[in-house]
Each structure stands twice: as C-alpha cells, then as structure tokens.
Amino acid sequence: MLALSPEELVPHVDTLVRSGSGALVWHRLRNASWRHDPALDSFRAAHHTDRLRAVISARCIDRAVRTMRAKGIDALLLKGWSIARLYAEPALRPLGDIDLLVRARDSPRARVEAAALATRPPVDLHTGLSDLTDRTVTELFDRSAMIQLGDTEVRILGREDQLRHLCLHFFRHAGARPLWLCDIAAALEAMPADFDWDSCLRGDALLTQRVLCAIRLAEMLLDARPARPLPAEQCRSVPNWLTCAVLESWAAPFDPRVYRPTALSLSLREPREILPAIARRWPNPIEATVLRAASLDDSPRLPVQLREAIVRVVRFTRNAWSATDDNSGSLRQ
C-alpha cells in the first residue's frame, strides 16, 4: 500500500471507503510522506467518523448489557466491538448494530428491553446463529469469555467459536467486503497461545472446509500471520476461482446480488430492466457454492451457479403464479 502514489490510489478511494476500509487505509498511510495529500481526505474523515462511532457504540453496548443483566438476562455480544477490540484501535473497524445473542427463554423479555432502550445503533437480538448451525446456544454460552468494556464486563464468544463464526459469516455473505476478511486476520494474529484448533475445527465437515479456506485467504490476501499456526495436516490450498471471486467482489463491495436487490417482480414492470435485473441476480461462484452446499474444490463453478440460477427461476415463477392466482381470486370476489 505504501508503494502506491496518490495518483494510483485516487481511483480506488470511493470503493475503499464504501467497503468500510477507509479508517484502516488511513492507519496504514498515516506515516506516509504524502499523508497530507488531499487524495487522502476521505480516508482521514472515515477514521475520524469511525472513532466517534466507536465511542458511541461502546456506551450503547454498556447500557444494553447493564439493562439486560439487571433484568436477569444474560446476553452475549457478537461481532462488532468483540472483534474491533483486536485491531490496533477499535476505530479501525466500523461498527453497526449491536448484535446480542440470548437464550430462547429470555427472548420475549429481551425484546421488550431492547425496544425500550431505543439505542442508536440499535440492538439486534438473536436466539441462534445461522453461521454456526453445528453449535448449540448452550455450547456457545458455556465456552464464552468475559471482556472489560469500560466499567462493565461483557460476554463474548470464546476465541475458537469466534474465529469459526467470522469465517462462516464471511462465506455466507460471499466475501463481498474486505472488512470481513480483516476481521479474520485480526482474530488470527491476536489468538492466545492456548488456542484450541481442534475445538475451532470440530463440527460439520463442509463448514470446517469453509473455515480453513477463509483462514488461507486471510494469509494470502492480507498477509495474516496466525499467532498459533494451523496444524500441518489441516493446511489446504485455495481454489483459484475462489481467490478471483473474492477480489472481484471487493471491486464492487456493495454488489446488489449480495445486498437485497429490488424485487424482480418490480423490475419486470419495465421491459428495459428485465435483462439487467436477471444479470444482477446471477449468483457469483461463492454465493452459489454456499447456497447449494457445494464443496470448495477445484471443479468448475458454472454447473453450481446454473443449479442455483434454476432454483431462483423456479422460486420466482412459483411466487409469481401464486400472486396471479391471489389477484384473480380477489377480482372474482
């Protein structure tokens, strides 16, 4: 990064800032001889904004955890601050909603309390993790850890579960943002000496394969150096198509194929929008692989993408047909 000149960096400023990486880039360039160049103003501003947000988020987390605890609700903080604290400074990792995991029995009361808090950023409650389908909530709480946030102790995932969660979250969102791989790199480099790889990699074999590929991608693309290297027998290569797909996603970090595009039915009302709408919904290789539960091997991805595309067409046709029937019934009435 430091080898780049302002002229070389300028075309990528908007993409980097929109991806959530602006503060990280500023941290990397803060000592460069050309750090005062106007080309870096967006990075400097992103760092300033994220520092303010980090302070506000910490206060909101403190308030939410204290409130839940006062009502006898044990809440576990996911992602966000729990991983930002592993960076050189929390402000280098943009913070969004406050994700809290609670036991199912506590969910009704927790939702009432979360609504009453009305914090900004808001509290987003979970009673399970779609990324950790091979872990029960009880297991996650049993292996959790406590960290200090200001004057409050906050419960977070244990290091092994946290790394697995970050890797699977990265794949569930098709690796669309470099920020999510940066999270993995931060977790790798901050892992304790007693990190238990067996615990981290235990579980569904297909999910573990994704974890191993995500770790390897962090090493290859971000030069991450795990404080406790993977056991030799677990090291694996990453398919070339996967590396290319990640880099392509980073070139357009808010790809509408990943971030809920406008309903296809609305696009079909305007004939000129039909082909672009279909193209936006063509699954990228990572997305199709995850959704079709395919292996991350060297085999061509086109067959997997076609299978996912067919599923989407069938689903859309079925929904459109049902909507037509419903409208017809309403007219008959």
Side-chain angles (χ1 to χ4, degrees):
M1 181 74 73
L2 288 176
L4 292 175
S5 66
E7 293 73 22
E8 292 172 311
L9 191 58
V10 164
H12 310 289
V13 169
D14 184 59
T15 296
L16 287 166
V17 172
R18 286 172 53 238
S19 73
S21 306
L24 266 175
V25 175
W26 172 247
H27 183 76
R28 185 72 175 88
L29 297 176
R30 68 194 187 286
N31 295 321
S33 59
W34 43 278
R35 61 185 179 276
H36 298 298
D37 191 286
L40 299 186
D41 285 348
S42 294
F43 298 135
R44 190 183 298 106
H47 182 240
H48 178 69
T49 299
D50 286 339
R51 287 183 67 183
L52 292 176
R53 287 177 177 168
V55 173
I56 294 171
S57 182
R59 291 176 179 174
C60 290
I61 292 169
D62 177 270
R63 183 182 168 201
V65 170
R66 284 176 180 269
T67 299
M68 296 290 179
R69 196 167 289 159
K71 299 295 182 179
I73 302 169
D74 195 5
L76 189 155
L77 179 65
L78 301 167
K79 299 179 296 181
W81 189 276
S82 71
I83 185 65
R85 71 191 183 90
L86 302 180
Y87 283 69
E89 57 174 293
L92 300 183
R93 204 274 186 196
L95 300 172
D97 293 355
I98 300 170
D99 292 287
L100 295 179
L101 176 69
V102 298
R103 295 177 174 87
R105 66 173 183 265
D106 294 327
S107 179
R109 289 184 299 137
R111 295 193 183 284
V112 171
E113 297 302 327
L117 281 168
T119 58
R120 291 291 181 271
V123 172
D124 187 7
L125 290 175
H126 305 264
T127 54
L129 294 182
S130 56
D131 296 317
L132 291 176
T133 54
D134 54 358
R135 306 285 198 265
T136 67
V137 171
T138 298
E139 290 173 331
L140 296 178
F141 270 90
D142 287 345
R143 292 195 293 263
S144 64
M146 302 296 287
I147 62 168
Q148 198 71 30
L149 179 57
D151 296 326
T152 304
E153 279 198 325
V154 177
R155 187 181 300 280
I156 64 171
L157 289 173
R159 287 294 183 91
E160 292 79 9
D161 290 325
Q162 183 183 59
L163 178 58
R164 189 176 183 88
H165 183 216
L166 293 172
C167 292
L168 296 176
H169 179 268
F170 171 83
F171 270 103
R172 181 163 62 87
H173 289 286
R177 298 180 72 187
L179 174 68
W180 294 325
L181 198 64
C182 290
D183 286 350
I184 296 169
L188 289 172
E189 298 197 344
M191 63 173 47
D194 60 350
F195 185 89
D196 187 349
W197 278 112
D198 287 339
S199 176
C200 177
L201 301 177
R202 186 182 302 121
D204 181 272
L206 191 62
L207 297 182
T208 296
Q209 182 190 52
R210 294 174 192 169
V211 171
L212 292 170
C213 280
I215 290 170
R216 184 62 184 133
L217 281 170
E219 294 175 330
M220 292 169 54
L221 300 180
L222 301 180
D223 198 28
R225 293 290 179 263
R228 181 173 168 77
L230 264 170
E233 65 273 14
Q234 296 289 2
C235 294
R236 58 170 293 133
S237 59
V238 174
N240 288 333
W241 66 261
L242 177 55
T243 306
C244 292
V246 168
L247 294 176
E248 287 175 4
S249 291
W250 289 1
F254 293 100
D255 191 318
R257 290 173 299 185
V258 180
Y259 289 94
R260 298 181 182 178
T262 304
L264 186 58
S265 57
L266 296 179
S267 300
L268 295 182
R269 295 176 184 177
E270 179 59 52
R272 292 176 300 178
E273 290 296 319
I274 294 177
L275 289 179
I278 292 175
R280 285 195 296 269
R281 285 157 182 80
W282 175 255
N284 73 20
I286 305 174
E287 188 182 10
T289 298
V290 172
L291 292 173
R292 292 300 98 212
S295 175
L296 289 165
D297 54 30
D298 290 314
S299 62
R301 291 297 101 176
L302 183 58
V304 183
Q305 291 172 276
L306 285 172
R307 288 202 298 273
E308 174 57 22
I310 291 171
V311 169
R312 295 181 181 192
V313 169
V314 170
R315 184 187 303 126
F316 170 75
T317 303
R318 184 185 298 120
N319 292 340
W321 186 265
S322 297
T324 301
D325 286 347
D326 291 341
N327 291 335
S328 298
S330 299
L331 290 174
R332 285 194 294 270
Q333 294 174 13

